[in-house]
Amino acid sequence: MNSAGHSEATAPRGLELTPFRGLRYDPERVGSLAAVTSPPYDVVVRPDGVYHLQSADPHNIVRLILPQDGTPSARNERAADTLRRWLDEGVLTADPEPGLYLYEQRDGAGLLQRGIIGALRLTEPSEGVVLPHEDVMPHVVADRTALMRATSANLEPLLLTYRGDGATADVIERTAEQPPLLSTTTEDGFSHRLWSINDPTDLACVQTDLSHHQALIADGHHRWATYLRLRAEHPSPSPWDYGLVLLIDTVRYPLRVRAIHRLLHTLPVADALAALDGLFRVRRLDVPLLEALATLADAACAGNAFLLAGDGGFHLVDRPDPDLLARTVPADRPAAWRTLDATVLHTTLLEHVWHIPEDSPAHIAYIHDTAATVEKAERDGGTAVLMHPVREEVVRDLARQGVTMPRKSTSFGPKPASGLVLRALEL
């Protein structure tokens, strides 16, 4: 198999993962590898997180994935200029030969996750090879597309899962016994290690094994949509036929599934609660955050439930009026979709009760960190809507039916750190 962008343009039977020449930081040119990494672009809490990461090291990857400037075009040009400068200065260097990369994450609580990073041939959802499970926001896809077009680079891998436990797992375990290319521990306590897989036998083994599998997009729906949009702009065959991904075999390494919370900028908690009168049961919880989340988990076992915060307390919202749901939730979807908390939030609460446009950054933000969501709501006078996570089996089952969940319904993790390996489209 040739490196990404140079193989025959044939439709894959399953996943077609190809080697590439990874761009990696030169440890001698940066303060530390940990100091130049970042969470994925959509996990960084802006602007606080951007400033923190920028100050960690002048070469932090956040300067590429979340460039700062006055206009979108200026931001993207800044990222492109920064990438070119780092390449010219040797801050980032390309590995001498193409390979796949074994990536390992560990935390202090016994979690171990390993997967393969490579350039994956892009496919449409209708082909059933890579299954999306969430809708996307057009403005985010447009933003990521402009950035990727300007830099001609895949700056961070998407997170995809598959159900394997086959030959690829054996290659992973054998490779992990060797000395890694890099090893670092980030400030969140996670240790990260990376190996190159470039032995022809191992590469063939992985590629043959994966060709029999389909994958679920766990994290990166907007970047996958970006990959597809940019592929359409470039005649095939080209490097744009492929996108950078991390593939995790969840038979061996199950992911954690967490919720993504909502911050409603323009809706005070008092107004949000007043609009729920007679439509949901509302109870105030004068307890700490962890106890409030435990109460939410219990309530979610019985039906749709949410926590509202922003006024110094927590409000459990559950037991929606059945007539309200019948009027507002589309009936032409599977029952598993109609009963999702995210479905009820978006179709019932946001659209019909609170009249909040779900795709307007001026009105709503999607935040992974629970405490940060509450703090921002309290500081800004808005409403935090805290969600309970959905199970992976539900996500995968809906994806196989071709049914997408409301945008930002899940947060699979741990997510790969950005900045450990990049892919330049010219290489």
Side-chain angles (χ1 to χ4, degrees), residues 99-373:
L100 300 176
Y101 294 85
L102 166 58
Y103 175 49
E104 176 190 277
Q105 293 167 278
R106 291 179 183 264
D107 69 2
L111 181 142
L112 170 63
Q113 179 171 289
R114 289 173 176 157
I116 300 288
I117 295 176
L120 185 68
R121 180 179 281 278
L122 306 179
T123 56
E124 297 290 341
S126 60
E127 296 176 63
V129 177
V130 175
L131 305 175
H133 71 268
E134 288 183 354
D135 293 330
V136 297
M137 291 174 274
H139 75 275
V140 177
V141 176
D143 172 74
R144 292 294 99 184
T145 299
L147 176 64
M148 205 174 294
R149 187 188 293 120
T151 58
S152 290
N154 299 155
L155 299 172
E156 45 187 347
L158 282 63
L159 178 61
L160 273 59
T161 72
Y162 71 103
R163 305 290 290 174
D165 203 20
T168 298
D170 297 335
V171 173
I172 286 175
E173 302 309 317
R174 188 166 62 253
T175 303
E177 296 174 357
Q178 306 301 316
L181 289 175
L182 65 84
S183 178
T184 190
T185 300
T186 46
E187 64 180 10
D188 58 5
F190 271 87
S191 65
H192 309 262
R193 297 199 293 171
L194 193 75
W195 293 259
S196 179
I197 302 173
N198 44 39
D199 176 80
T201 302
D202 286 342
L203 290 174
C205 183
V206 170
Q207 292 172 317
T208 300
D209 180 40
L210 292 177
S211 71
H212 301 290
H213 292 286
Q214 64 179 186
L216 175 74
I217 301 176
D219 185 66
H221 285 81
H222 293 90
R223 284 167 287 165
W224 184 259
T226 293
Y227 288 168
L228 293 176
R229 181 176 295 185
L230 289 168
R231 180 185 66 170
E233 296 178 3
H234 297 83
S236 185
S238 85
W240 298 92
D241 294 339
Y242 298 79
L244 187 64
V245 304
L246 166 63
L247 277 166
I248 300 290
D249 177 359
T250 54
V251 173
R252 288 282 181 102
Y253 301 105
L255 294 182
R256 292 186 251 188
V257 187
R258 291 176 172 162
I260 302 177
H261 310 296
R262 276 65 170 161
L263 175 60
L264 310 181
H265 300 296
T266 60
L267 182 67
V269 174
D271 293 348
L273 295 173
L276 297 176
D277 186 39
L279 302 177
F280 285 76
R281 182 176 70 168
V282 179
R283 289 178 288 163
R284 183 180 177 92
L285 307 176
D286 290 308
V287 297
L289 174 58
L290 288 180
E291 192 172 334
L293 291 173
T295 303
L296 172 63
D298 290 340
C301 292
N304 300 119
F306 313 90
L307 271 182
L308 304 191
D311 62 353
F314 297 100
H315 306 269
L316 180 66
V317 175
D318 65 355
R319 298 189 183 179
D321 174 43
D323 290 337
L324 173 68
L325 297 183
R327 293 196 310 271
T328 57
V329 178
D332 60 347
R333 303 286 187 91
W337 182 89
R338 298 197 307 271
T339 55
L340 288 170
D341 288 337
T343 297
V344 172
L345 172 62
H346 283 258
T347 64
T348 302
L349 286 172
L350 293 180
E351 183 175 351
H352 291 278
V353 177
W354 292 329
H355 307 293
I356 299 290
E358 63 178 354
D359 58 355
S360 169
H363 292 86
I364 186 169
Y366 298 82
I367 305 177
H368 295 73
D369 186 282
T370 309
T373 311

Side-chain angles (χ1 to χ4, degrees), residues 54-103:
Q54 283 184 336
S55 63
D57 190 283
H59 300 111
N60 189 283
I61 191 68
V62 78
R63 296 177 184 272
L64 299 182
I65 63 174
L66 287 173
Q68 302 298 295
D69 214 314
T71 66
S73 60
R75 289 194 291 270
N76 295 330
E77 189 54 42
R78 178 179 291 271
D81 289 343
T82 300
L83 179 57
R84 284 192 293 268
R85 186 175 73 254
W86 289 356
L87 289 169
D88 291 342
E89 296 172 352
V91 173
L92 287 170
T93 60
D95 285 332
E97 60 180 314
L100 300 176
Y101 294 85
L102 166 58
Y103 175 49

